[in-house]
């Protein structure tokens, strides 16, 4: 594995017009290499603009972006590295796959050196996409298309992986499986990953650190439990229940919970499954359309 940057240093300002009105995106941030960061906040807070500035798709009005000692952007020094010169992979919400290209061709299109075709085979194999390589995006499910988008982002061997709500349009079980895929990719390739998500349960499962933006400013930063501590049991739907059993189904875990006369099946993480046992009293709450189990004697 090649040596990676130790720190990403971001200090940028950009005037924006959002649904909340005119604002200045003003961010000063250091991100340690290898961390999984989630950006959280209202629509229009500046999250996607920040990712696009890191990727070189939008130029800040002021400031600098550094990856270790490599300068990607400096207004003062008039440096603005092109997107292909930055060690980034970007996965968009709408996948952005080329519909007239096969999966193989989609990956080849972004390959920095066309001679290194072996890398395509390796990525396809790691992502479980080898058998789909000759198909076109329109013939794939949403989950398969998102895996292709992730594979394409990895072909360039990025140090920084940028994910702009990549799972928001998928059903819950597919989202859960791809969350597991994303964290495996993050660890396997020793990436620094920045995810935009509005789903607290997704953020809990994936993140080392959460950064909450509001009107262009960082208003909170910390562990998921710290950032969401005042909202942890604030879902619109809340039910008391008791764990009947924890079952494994393929790569996911399912908690069977009885509440009144109803028995529910709820997908939980491996960590949650290890922390829950039959007869535990739990609170079931809905966050961003996803059910979350909270063990009451841990609150």
């Amino acid at each position: 594995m090649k040596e990676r940057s130790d720190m990403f240093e971001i200090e940028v300002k950009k005037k924006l017009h959002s649904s909340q009105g005119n604002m200045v995106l003003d961010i000063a941030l250091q991100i340690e290499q290898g961390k999984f960061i989630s950006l959280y906040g209202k629509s229009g807070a500046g999250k996607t603009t920040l990712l696009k500035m890191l990727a070189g798709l939008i130029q800040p009005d002021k400031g600098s972006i550094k990856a270790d000692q490599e300068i990607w952007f400096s207004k003062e020094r008039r440096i603005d590295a092109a997107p292909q010169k930055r060690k980034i992979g970007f996965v968009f919400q709408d996948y952005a796959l080329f519909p007239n290209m096969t999966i193989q061709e989609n990956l080849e299109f972004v390959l920095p050196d066309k001679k290194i075709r072996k890398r395509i085979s390796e990525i396809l194999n790691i992502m479980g996409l080898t058998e789909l390589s000759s198909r076109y995006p329109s013939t794939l499910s949403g989950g398969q298309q998102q895996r292709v988008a992730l594979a394409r982002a990895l072909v360039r061997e990025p140090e920084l992986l940028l994910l702009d709500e990549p799972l928001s349009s998928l059903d819950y079980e597919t989202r859960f499986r791809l969350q597991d895929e994303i964290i495996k990719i993050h660890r396997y390739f020793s990436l620094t990953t920045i995810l935009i998500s509005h789903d607290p349960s997704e953020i809990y499962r994936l993140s080392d650190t959460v950064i909450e933006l509001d009107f262009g400013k960082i208003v909170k930063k910390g562990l998921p439990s710290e950032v969401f501590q005042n909202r942890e049991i604030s879902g619109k739907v809340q039910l008391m229940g008791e764990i009947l059993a924890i079952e494994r189904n393929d790569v996911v875990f399912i908690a069977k919970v009885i509440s009144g006369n109803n028995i529910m099946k709820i997908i939980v993480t491996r960590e949650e499954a290890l922390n829950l046992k039959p007869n535990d009293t739990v609170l079931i709450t809905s966050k961003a359309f996803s059910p979350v189990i909270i063990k009451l004697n841990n609150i």
Side-chain angles (χ1 to χ4, degrees), residues 23-42:
M23 71 178 192
V24 176
L25 180 63
D26 187 356
I27 302 295
L29 186 63
Q30 289 189 334
I31 298 175
E32 184 181 343
Q33 194 278 326
K35 295 298 183 181
F36 197 115
I37 309 296
S38 285
L39 297 181
Y40 180 79
K42 299 175 183 176

Side-chain angles (χ1 to χ4, degrees), residues 64-250:
S64 62
I65 301 171
K66 299 176 184 177
D68 196 14
Q69 299 304 311
E70 186 177 347
I71 300 175
W72 288 356
F73 176 81
S74 172
K75 187 70 173 181
E76 182 180 353
R77 299 175 63 176
R78 297 184 180 180
I79 296 172
D80 187 15
Q84 59 269 27
K85 298 294 185 181
R86 306 185 187 201
K87 300 182 182 73
I88 62 103
F90 204 138
V91 180
F92 297 90
Q93 187 174 358
D94 61 357
Y95 316 142
L97 301 175
F98 297 112
N100 60 329
M101 294 184 182
T102 65
I103 303 315
Q104 175 90 15
E105 291 167 343
N106 263 277
L107 270 62
E108 288 176 351
F109 184 82
V110 299
L111 191 65
D113 185 345
K114 305 301 180 185
K115 296 178 182 178
I116 318 177
R117 293 184 181 273
K118 183 172 118 177
R119 190 183 306 163
I120 301 268
S121 299
E122 291 172 348
I123 297 294
L124 287 171
N125 184 54
I126 289 168
M127 298 296 295
L129 293 168
T130 303
E131 294 182 1
L132 304 178
S133 62
S134 62
R135 290 173 58 177
Y136 289 88
S138 62
T139 69
L140 305 181
S141 68
Q144 289 170 332
Q145 290 184 50
Q146 192 55 279
R147 283 165 61 204
V148 174
L150 281 166
R152 188 176 62 178
L154 295 171
V155 164
R156 299 184 66 244
E157 293 190 320
E159 291 186 8
L160 182 62
L161 180 62
L162 306 174
L163 306 173
D164 189 358
E165 295 191 74
L167 311 181
S168 61
S169 63
L170 303 175
D171 64 84
Y172 182 70
E173 186 166 347
T174 303
R175 278 209 318 272
F176 193 94
R177 291 174 185 272
L178 280 172
Q179 287 168 11
D180 187 57
E181 197 78 30
I182 286 170
I183 199 64
K184 286 179 181 177
I185 289 168
H186 169 77
R187 292 169 179 165
Y188 183 86
F189 290 99
S190 302
L191 298 170
T192 303
T193 301
I194 303 179
L195 166 76
I196 293 177
S197 178
H198 289 97
D199 184 346
S201 63
E202 183 169 272
I203 292 171
Y204 264 101
R205 291 185 177 115
L206 299 178
S207 309
D208 298 310
T209 301
V210 184
I211 297 169
E212 183 175 356
L213 298 186
D214 186 31
F215 207 61
K217 306 291 190 298
I218 295 174
V219 292
K220 280 189 180 181
K221 179 184 176 184
L223 298 171
S225 58
E226 295 170 342
V227 172
F228 294 114
Q229 63 182 342
N230 295 325
R231 308 169 222 185
E232 193 151 327
I233 55 173
S234 61
K236 291 183 178 179
V237 178
Q238 294 184 11
L239 297 172
M240 293 280 287
E242 184 177 304
I243 298 289
L244 294 177
I246 303 292
E247 301 171 349
R248 182 165 186 168
N249 182 4
D250 195 10

